Amino acid sequence: MIVDLEDGVPADAKDAARANVAELLSAPRDKPAYVRVNAHEPAEIELVAALPLAGVLVPKVESPDDVPDVPVHALIETARGIEAAFEIAAHPNVRGLSLGEADLRSQVGATDLDWWRARVVNA
């Protein structure tokens, strides 16, 4: 299960979503839970880091400076992030990387993402 506090939540519902995430994730479940947070919201990252999760997904990571002080799975979604993928992957709090293909496509206009995928896999 992935709980989205980032793009999937309308701006006027973000406070309610943040308030409800702990209650939602305290319910018994059969599958691991991940929460996708807003990358530059330290309070939100701290909130979910204290919950019983399989992981925290941080979107739009473009440099090691974007990695918070908790273990995360970094989502690379921009050309700048691709260029820094090796340094991001080497950060001690990064447990994994993924390519955010939709956002990357909209930024760079690429239709074939094989090179971009390979860059993240190599990192």
Side-chain angles (χ1 to χ4, degrees):
M1 161 176 39
I2 297 176
V3 178
D4 192 356
L5 292 178
E6 200 229 1
D7 289 348
V9 180
D12 63 346
K14 288 202 183 280
D15 288 338
R18 290 177 186 131
N20 292 330
V21 72
E23 182 179 344
L24 172 70
L25 294 174
S26 66
R29 57 186 179 275
D30 296 333
K31 297 184 180 186
Y34 297 82
V35 176
R36 182 175 141 135
V37 297
N38 290 286
H40 301 287
E41 294 282 344
E44 189 171 285
I45 293 166
E46 288 177 26
L47 166 78
V48 300
L51 298 174
L53 299 173
V56 176
L57 306 174
V58 179
K60 298 177 181 75
V61 176
E62 293 186 324
S63 80
D65 294 337
D66 292 336
V67 178
D69 291 331
V70 298
V72 299
H73 187 99
L75 303 176
I76 308 296
E77 302 178 290
T78 64
R80 185 179 305 245
I82 290 290
E83 288 303 311
F86 290 88
E87 291 81 17
I88 293 166
H91 192 287
N93 288 339
V94 172
R95 301 297 186 258
L97 295 177
S98 292
L99 183 64
E101 294 187 6
D103 285 339
L104 181 64
R105 271 195 180 105
S106 70
Q107 184 193 50
V108 301
T111 55
D112 180 359
L113 295 180
D114 287 346
W115 180 87
W116 306 84
R117 286 184 198 111
R119 183 99 170 144
V120 171
V121 169
N122 287 335

